[in-house]
Amino acid sequence: MHDQEGLMKKVPILKRGCNKFWYFTVVFLLWFLLLYFFFHSGSKLDKKDDFLLKHLYDGFVDADESSFGGVNRNSNEETGHVAADSVTDMDTKATGNPVDNFFTGGDWDKYLREVSNAEKESKPENQMHLTENEARSINKVFGEGNREESGVARSAARENQVKKPFELPREGRRRRVKKPGREKRIKKPVDHSLRAEEKVIEQPDKEDQIRRQTNSDSHPESCAGRYIYIHNLPSRFNGDLFRHCQSLNEWSNMCPYLSNFGFGPRLKNSERTLSNTGWYDTNQFMLEIIFHHKMKRYRCLTNDSSLATAIFVPYYSGLDVARYLWNADKKMKDYYSRHLVRWLRGSPEWKRLWGRDHFMVAGRITWDFRRLTNNNNDWGNQLMILPESRNMTVLTIESSPWNNNDFAVPYPTYFHPSGDNEVFQWQNRMRRLRRQFLFSFAGGPRPDLPDSIRSDIIEQCQAARERCLLLECITGSSNCYEPVNLMKMFQSSTFCLQPPGDSYTRRSTFDSILAGCIPVFFHPGSSYAQYLWHFPRDYTKYSVFIPANKIKDEKVSIERTLSRIPIQKVWAMREEVIKLIPGMVYADPGYGLETLKDAFDLTIDGVLERVEKMKMDIKAGKNFSEDIEEYTWKKNLFGTEGKHEWDHFFDRSKMIMY
């Protein structure tokens, strides 16, 4: 009885044990089946799943490449997006399943390199075919070609003609792949690194193609009264000069200086004197090239000349005349300039105001274009004294004090920033510098000019010893032509002496301002009567004026004069100089400045204001032939033609270069 009762008590325990056994058995079988299914069927995808998975991988890689601007595998050139079928046509069996490779810790970079090699082997016939995006990208670098040519044909032809610089070896390049997600739009920089031979090809043949790419229509209100039309000149007036750059100078090859929008070769910052970006070995006579590139990206361009306030004439007059200034074939000096004005006279835009709304750039000093005689052996050509040119506004790096059709704009410097931050950083750096020397001078004597004060300045600098830094420019020395040497000297000086040389003005003025060095002038024609659109009228705020005759005749001490300036005044003047820096530089046309105005912007403001004033004078019936040009400098600077203490500096009968 007791045994039977005990047995009945044990039955539930046995039942519970059996249930637990079968429970673990079933769980184990299910887990085993799950693992079996995962390891065996998961790695053997059917064709449909493999096809979908491979397309997902294609989008994964393409999304990453497009977010970084993409790479053209065939040409190793930066382009738009890689073609969508660039990966899907490869044979994945040679490299394994991409998903397996990714999740099992394989060499993903190696896999991508193998993908690229497999693609290269499977598509050799496509190496010279460019996508539409690639062709458009190459067109942006090399300029527009003929209308009849398609973008793809032009790009392919250029690719055959020009060897691309700075290529990375295909095998050594590693691609970064990131997980698909929200792509960031990264601003694609403009490539400025092409050599001069390549940039020669970039000169546009058709200006109207460039105008169609402008965004002026999207700014109708801000562009009101600011529209500019660019004349489509025959290539002999610009493009041909660009392409035959070897013949522009008898003694040196100018081709390298035409590269990078006319900025020239990039400068390295090995000595930490410059900033890391935006610095170029810019030739002082490249303003025509620089200005034309800036004009092509001016946001208020129009292809309807009837809407334009001003008309730009892209004639490379300085490059043209430089070929014949010292050449035996001097009869060619006036050939192109006379043909230019003849071409302009025949255009409908000219007849509207007879050229008074036209403007052009002459990238040399005004005296190279003002030959007063018909003797070709005399210096320069007659471009600026032609009747048609006298109606136009001509922009030069040095203007005439006695004529009213040319206006001075800054010499090109070595600094061409691509944004406001580069300017701000440079300005702050110039504010923090400790300047070891009181004053400095970079230049050489002028023994053939008896009234020159340069020899006196050199003597005073040498006598000042440790207070003056002298960089003497003598024949055979390249010290004065090294941008780093010049900028290092200007950065270490409080004042920089800027006496006239072969003419009134000097490029050194703008290089020294760029370094935050206060300029010291000895002739009002070196700055005050020149750059009215760029310098303050009150010259005492940013410079020191010591009349040249006091140095020559009265033996005034430069060191003593500068030492007596109160330190607070020096700080205030230096700050004014540093504030001038944005208006002294020509910013990178591929980017431009946002809140600041560079030298180009200030020049355009001045041109448009002048053209509007002339239009008002025409409506009022003004007779321009009655203008007395003799006192142009005085009228522009002081608004009067009365007597002034500077009159002896501008005595035209003497016209002495100091």
Side-chain angles (χ1 to χ4, degrees), residues 317 358-363 366 369-370 383-384 388-396 399 404-409 533 610:
S317 54
H358 284 49
F359 71 103
M360 60 179 292
V361 177
T366 187
F369 309 98
R370 290 189 177 277
L383 171 64
M384 289 194 187
E388 294 82 2
S389 299
R390 291 172 66 86
N391 284 355
M392 292 192 290
T393 299
V394 185
L395 309 174
T396 64
S399 63
N404 59 11
N405 65 324
D406 58 337
F407 288 80
V409 297
W533 296 338
R610 171 174 160 78

Side-chain angles (χ1 to χ4, degrees), residues 436-455:
Q436 178 182 355
F437 299 95
L438 176 64
F439 63 106
S440 64
F441 173 62
R446 290 293 186 269
D448 53 334
L449 299 175
D451 293 310
S452 174
I453 63 171
R454 287 198 169 203
S455 296

Side-chain angles (χ1 to χ4, degrees), residues 112-122 170-171:
L112 290 178
R113 288 195 297 271
E114 293 174 347
V115 166
S116 179
N117 293 334
E119 177 198 68
K120 181 178 178 181
E121 295 174 359
S122 64
R170 187 185 305 276
E171 294 77 17

Side-chain angles (χ1 to χ4, degrees), residues 83-99:
D85 59 350
S86 60
V87 183
T88 55
D89 293 336
M90 67 183 180
D91 183 8
T92 58
K93 294 181 180 179
T95 57
N97 190 296
V99 178

Side-chain angles (χ1 to χ4, degrees), residues 17 107-108 244 262 300 340 385 413 483 486 498 537 553 585 625:
D107 189 345
W108 186 251
H244 299 93
C300 294
L340 171 74
I385 67 173
T413 65
L486 290 169
Q498 305 296 346
R537 296 299 178 99
D553 303 330
V585 302
S625 62

Side-chain angles (χ1 to χ4, degrees), residues 98 117 219 295 643:
N117 293 334
H219 304 278
M295 276 302 313
K643 290 185 178 181

